[in-house]
Amino acid sequence: MKSYRKELWFNTSSRMEFINITRNVQDAVSESGVKEGLVLVNAMHITASVFINDDESGLHADYKKWLEELAPHEPISRYAHNRTGEDNGDAHHKRQIMGREVVVAITEGRLDFGPWEQIFYGEFDGRRRKRVLVKIIGE
Ligand code: ZN
């Protein structure tokens, strides 16, 4: 069995942002040489997500609005977590609901997706360097 590990780094200009990383993940699969297997993609930070959905700008705007309604950034004082001196209590909640990771099947060296599936990095406390782990196993 082969295994391959790669880190993807991001530094978003805004606090909340979604980035399509499908091509980055497919590149890692190609580099790995794995034709049949699995790829795990996970955020390595507790204020960021990796998720699969449609690459449609209206949907992404809806997500941002919905997440801000569920867990508004302000007032900072609404989160007990922020008593630590941090201001990212909301980002931990947003990450929790959007998920930590995805697993995608690799078939004939390609990501084996449904028709509209794309992989996204979801940032909820950006403007600093953060990373995503890509781990591939198979043969
Ligand atoms: Zn925190």
Side-chain angles (χ1 to χ4, degrees), residues 20-70:
N20 188 331
I21 59 170
T22 310
R23 185 176 298 268
N24 310 60
V25 176
Q26 179 60 56
D27 287 348
V29 170
S30 301
E31 290 157 20
S32 75
V34 169
K35 301 297 179 199
E36 298 295 325
L38 295 170
V39 55
L40 164 75
V41 189
N42 69 268
M44 298 183 83
H45 301 262
I46 51 180
T47 53
S49 292
V50 173
F51 62 93
I52 292 180
N53 217 298
D54 195 1
D55 194 359
E56 196 281 303
S57 60
L59 177 66
H60 292 191
D62 291 339
Y63 276 155
K64 288 177 183 170
K65 181 167 172 280
W66 176 65
L67 289 166
E68 201 57 33
E69 285 165 3
L70 285 173

Side-chain angles (χ1 to χ4, degrees), residues 89-109:
D90 65 308
H92 289 275
H93 287 63
K94 288 164 175 151
R95 176 264 169 83
Q96 201 66 33
I97 202 151
M98 295 303 279
R100 172 182 181 264
E101 78 277 308
V102 300
V103 177
V104 181
I106 300 164
T107 303
E108 296 176 352

Side-chain angles (χ1 to χ4, degrees), residues 103-121:
V103 177
V104 181
I106 300 164
T107 303
E108 296 176 352
R110 307 292 302 172
L111 296 168
D112 200 342
F113 281 137
W116 296 102
E117 290 187 314
Q118 297 279 292
I119 309 172
F120 296 90
Y121 175 64

Side-chain angles (χ1 to χ4, degrees), residues 46-47 81-82 84 86-89 92 125:
I46 51 180
T47 53
H81 176 65
N82 289 339
T84 61
E86 291 188 88
D87 68 350
N88 64 5
H92 289 275
D125 184 23

